[in-house]
Amino acid sequence: MTMLMLSLIRALAVLIPWLVHLATWLVARSLNMPQPIVHATSMFVFAQVCAVEMRVGKGLWRQLQSLMR
C-alpha cells in the first residue's frame, strides 16, 4: 500500500508541472502571445486574486467575530 501511494505521489509530481506547461502553451497559442508573457501574467493575476481573497476573508472574519460578541 505504501509503495502504491509513493508511486502515485511521484506520478503527480511529474504530471502537474507538465500540465501547467501545457495549459500555458495552449493559452499562449490561442492568444498569439509568447509563452513567458502568459506565464508571468498568470502569476501576477494569481497573486492579485490571493490578495483580494485575503482582504475579503479578513473582513468577513471580523464581521463574524463582532456578531458572536
Side-chain angles (χ1 to χ4, degrees):
M1 183 70 174
T2 305
M3 293 299 288
L4 177 64
M5 291 300 292
L6 286 175
S7 63
L8 288 175
I9 290 172
R10 286 184 186 138
L12 283 175
V14 170
L15 190 61
I16 289 174
W18 184 81
L19 288 173
V20 169
H21 178 74
L22 178 64
T24 305
W25 180 81
L26 287 171
V27 171
R29 186 160 169 88
S30 69
L31 295 174
N32 198 19
M33 293 175 62
Q35 188 176 356
I37 292 176
V38 172
H39 182 73
T41 304
S42 65
M43 296 304 278
F44 176 75
V45 169
F46 177 77
Q48 292 295 319
V49 168
C50 284
V52 168
E53 286 179 351
M54 288 298 291
R55 274 186 258 138
V56 169
K58 284 181 183 178
L60 290 174
W61 180 249
R62 286 186 192 125
Q63 286 180 355
L64 183 63
Q65 282 180 331
S66 67
L67 287 174
M68 293 296 194
R69 291 183 189 160

